[in-house]
Amino acid sequence: MQFLANPTRFLRIANAVLPYVWAITVALFAVGLYGALVTAPPDYQQGETVRIMYVHVPAAWMALFVYTVMALASAVAAIFRHPLADVAAKTAAPIGAVFCFLSLATGSLWGKPMWGAWWVWDARLTSMFVLMLLYIGYMAIWAAIEEPHRAAMVARVVALVGFINIPIVKFSVDWWNSLHQPASVFRMDGPTIAGPMLWPLLVMGLAYTFLFLALHLTAMRAEIAARKIRQIHIAEIGER
Amino acid sequence: MNLILALIRRDLTLTLRQGGGVGTALGFFLCVVVLLPIGIGPDQALLARIAPGALWISLLLSVLLSADRIYQQDYEDGSLDIMTMGPVPFEMVALAKSVAHWLSTSLPLAIAAPILGFLVNLEPEAILPLAIAMVVGSIALSLIASIGAAVTVGLRRGGLLVSILVLPLYVPVLIFGLSASQPNAAPGLTAASLLILGAIALVSLVVSPLASAAALRSYLK
Amino acid sequence: MDFSANHVGFVIASYALTFLCLAGLIIATLGRDRKLRAQVERLDTQRRKPR
């Protein structure tokens, strides 16, 4: 009963909020893309190629953000045994994995004209690649364990251990990179970006965040429905 | 404490009696070390340059290969079920089994690796730092492998999953292990890397029993 | 945006790829949501009828 009580409240809120979240997402994307493709100036060094930044950087931000959401939800699930938290963690993973893939793929498309190679073992790329592996491993656990309650418990462990691992990987990869002295890799450090290039980036970041929110709420709603179907089926078997 | 020692002794005896465990891992290790020069050519200078990395990678893969043995048998024959009910906290059971794996597999490999290094033209002055780094690193390797084994213990096709799950956790160990094995590096760098490697081993000493026990419990319920 | 610039193909490719992946994700998520909720609805009405 407790399982049903909280999800119904969640569903009521999600149903009420979702149309607005989608509307805000569309509006933000419209403004962000206009800024990214029309008003933002081409870079004096990189030319038009710099426009890849407006889809690449937000994807990378979101890949990290979504994993944080996943780890937080897993921690809540582990401490308070709240089933909705497991649903939140489970449904966030595929969305985060798509963002992570996009950041790797667009980074590769940006790297080819800039560095002359599709893939460079640079510190950031390597940590992003490891993050992608963490996403794949997490989703594989959910896919491999049939019993949902057990899958949830194991997945919590995987998500939390992975979360502890992220800063260690980041640190170690930076260390490794400084040891191997890469041939001057292009850097884009925050404060040097000028205003006309900065605001479309921030708007795109917000647009991605709202897109995640909309997708996550929808996916959680679907997952709750899937669990309800499972419960109904189990109840039917019990009645027979 | 005595009970934990008894657990470790039991696991060690089981692995030694059955054979196969250390043997498979060592055989795999030997395969890599022998096939590598054949694969990339017998250039001594090149071999000397990549020797520490090659040895570290073979150590990592050999430990990974033997990872699923840590809990598999005790899970299948029900011993783990009984251990959850015993007087020893289940986290300590997980720790004991990781220690047994370290003693039976990772540690022998870590000691054998620098000796086998002569096959890939490892510089003589690199042998000692490599051995020290590998002994420290192998603690972390066994503990991390234990998490991977615990998470996939009840799965029929857990093998691939273990590698995906454990690979990201092995990246820092490899990086600092390698950096601690360079004899010609800047002064202080080797020592610093070794300390960080030790820190990683200590972190996994705390995290691994907790995570392994939590994962095992969900399979045993 | 200057379409005759160098490497403009890479820019178009990354925007196209992002669009395709995100559109695919949106369609898959919405589709699953719609399908499962319809199924719950159907099962609910089915279960209520016999009683």
Side-chain angles (χ1 to χ4, degrees), chain A residues 37 48 51 208 221 223, chain C residues 1-2 15 32-33 37:
Chain A
L37 293 173
E48 300 288 349
R51 296 191 196 279
Y208 272 57
R221 194 166 69 179
E223 181 65 23
Chain C
M1 172 110 199
D2 173 17
Y15 277 81
R32 181 175 137 90
D33 180 47
R37 281 194 304 150

Side-chain angles (χ1 to χ4, degrees), chain C residues 18-43:
Chain C
T18 304
F19 176 77
L20 283 179
C21 286
L22 292 183
L25 183 66
I26 292 169
I27 290 168
T29 312
L30 288 177
R32 181 175 137 90
D33 180 47
R34 204 152 289 176
K35 194 186 100 194
L36 288 171
R37 281 194 304 150
Q39 209 173 333
V40 169
E41 204 90 328
R42 217 180 46 240
L43 284 170

Side-chain angles (χ1 to χ4, degrees), chain A residues 15 22 29 33 36-38 48-52 54-55 90 94-95 98-99 101-102 105-106 109 112-114 118 204 208 211 215 218-219 221-223 225-226 228-229 232-233 235-236 239, chain C residues 1-23 25-41 43-44 46-48 51:
Chain A
N15 288 337
W22 278 116
F29 263 107
L33 283 174
L37 293 173
V38 181
E48 300 288 349
T49 320
V50 77
R51 296 191 196 279
I52 296 177
Y54 303 111
V55 285
K90 181 189 179 184
I95 308 172
V98 169
F99 283 131
F101 167 75
L102 278 177
T106 55
L109 283 166
K112 182 61 183 162
M114 288 300 109
W118 292 106
M204 285 300 274
Y208 272 57
L211 177 64
L215 284 172
T218 314
R221 194 166 69 179
E223 181 65 23
K228 204 170 166 193
I229 292 168
I232 292 172
H233 280 313
E236 270 175 357
E239 279 165 20
Chain C
M1 172 110 199
D2 173 17
F3 281 98
S4 58
N6 281 339
H7 309 308
V8 83
F10 290 99
V11 182
I12 296 169
S14 28
Y15 277 81
L17 186 72
T18 304
F19 176 77
L20 283 179
C21 286
L22 292 183
L25 183 66
I26 292 169
I27 290 168
T29 312
L30 288 177
R32 181 175 137 90
D33 180 47
R34 204 152 289 176
K35 194 186 100 194
L36 288 171
R37 281 194 304 150
Q39 209 173 333
V40 169
E41 204 90 328
L43 284 170
D44 270 350
Q46 246 174 38
R47 274 170 68 79
R48 249 174 249 132
R51 275 167 210 177

Side-chain angles (χ1 to χ4, degrees), chain A residues 17-18 21 25 62 208-219:
Chain A
V17 169
L18 261 172
V21 178
T25 309
M62 289 314 290
Y208 272 57
T209 314
F210 270 85
L211 177 64
F212 165 67
L213 191 63
L215 284 172
H216 195 207
L217 287 176
T218 314

Side-chain angles (χ1 to χ4, degrees), chain B residues 185-190:
Chain B
L189 188 69
T190 315

